[in-house]
Amino acid sequence: MARMEERNTANSGGTCIVCSQQKDLGIRIFQSFLCTECEREIVQTDVLDEKYPYYIDRMKQIWMSAIS
Ligand SMILES: [Zn+2]
């Protein structure tokens, strides 16, 4: 998966859209928050990994909320 080059470091943290946990460190993508651990997971996840479709689905929701 392509790395997200254009990103802003969130200062206040938030609820991660992937793991649904409150985290202090992460990035904000449009209206959604993605914690550092999940971002790292997604970047490292192989396309053939069984978790990959799940991450794609979560990311899709971020894009959907961004364009709605
Ligand atoms: Zn997370």
Side-chain angles (χ1 to χ4, degrees):
M1 186 169 178
R3 288 181 62 87
M4 289 161 281
E5 296 296 343
E6 287 184 36
R7 61 190 188 187
N8 300 309
T9 303
N11 296 318
S12 54
T15 304
C16 176
I17 193 167
V18 173
C19 64
S20 301
Q21 291 181 40
Q22 187 74 29
K23 298 288 178 98
D24 292 330
L25 293 175
I27 56 168
R28 200 160 277 282
I29 308 169
F30 302 107
Q31 308 299 322
S32 303
F33 179 79
L34 180 67
C35 78
T36 309
E37 289 108 275
C38 289
E39 187 212 2
R40 198 175 299 145
E41 276 285 312
I42 291 173
V43 170
Q44 292 179 348
T45 300
D46 192 89
V47 184
L48 298 176
D49 195 294
E50 59 181 9
K51 285 183 294 184
Y52 195 75
Y54 171 74
Y55 288 140
I56 292 297
D57 188 64
R58 302 307 291 174
M59 296 302 286
K60 233 182 262 176
Q61 290 193 29
I62 296 178
W63 309 136
M64 295 301 255
S65 67
I67 60 176
S68 62

